[in-house]
Amino acid sequence: SEAGAYKTLKRAMMFGELWLTRRQGLRGYVRLAEAEMPLARSLFERALEREPSSSEALAGLGLTYVGPRKAELGLAVLKARALPAHDAEAIARVRVTLLRVLGRDAAAAEIEATFGDPQTPLARFVAAQLLLAPARRGRRVAPERAALAL
């Protein structure tokens, strides 16, 4: 149920810095996990209206655009918003993924070269989400790839 998923996600996010104080943001991550992108997108946008500097909400919003038909729009959305300084790495990882979806590997590699292993809880979460993205689209994910996301 949504209430059970909400409680589980809330407990998991309290572990580190990855904590959203806005209910819309938490519900957005629940909907993202259930691959309900339009609803997740709407919830993240509402969270950003309340807290424009939320890197968690902006990263979540960017993740809703990972896909061949939405990636260009996702890049425009990220570009139009002020990037939060405290976790720009997570937003950069989402941007790299959108660029790769569009086949802009050189631009993605240029950005990717500026960071190594994820350094913040949000960046680690985003990196894991991106490793598991194929599974969300119904494709099998190799066990070693899934293990990297843990």
Side-chain angles (χ1 to χ4, degrees):
S1 76
E2 182 179 339
Y6 174 80
K7 285 180 184 177
T8 301
L9 186 60
K10 186 174 178 180
R11 272 186 251 132
M13 293 175 110
M14 284 177 23
F15 181 73
E17 296 169 27
L18 187 55
W19 168 244
L20 290 174
T21 56
R22 306 286 182 239
R23 181 171 168 84
Q24 285 87 359
L26 285 172
R27 288 180 63 213
Y29 276 101
V30 170
R31 296 303 181 193
L32 180 67
E34 294 173 349
E36 295 180 17
M37 298 310 174
L39 183 53
R41 196 172 296 125
S42 171
L43 290 164
F44 288 128
E45 287 169 349
R46 279 192 261 160
L48 284 165
E49 286 172 11
R50 291 180 183 217
E51 195 174 335
S53 65
S54 171
S55 56
E56 293 88 356
L58 185 56
L61 180 62
L63 289 170
T64 68
Y65 289 100
V66 174
R69 296 184 189 158
K70 299 283 186 185
E72 192 69 54
L73 182 58
L75 286 173
V77 166
L78 291 179
K79 186 176 182 178
R81 299 222 180 234
L83 293 179
H86 67 278
D87 211 339
E89 176 194 356
I91 309 306
R93 288 179 183 281
V94 173
R95 189 164 182 252
V96 163
T97 301
L98 294 170
L99 288 166
R100 291 216 183 274
V101 167
L102 293 168
R104 298 182 195 164
D105 293 333
E110 187 177 317
I111 296 168
E112 218 167 21
T114 65
F115 48 75
D117 291 335
Q119 298 299 309
T120 66
L122 179 60
R124 286 191 289 277
F125 176 80
V126 168
Q129 290 299 300
L130 299 175
L131 282 172
L132 296 174
R136 255 195 244 115
R137 291 190 291 271
R139 294 193 211 127
R140 283 195 73 205
V141 173
E144 60 274 8
R145 186 174 176 94
L148 287 173
L150 298 177

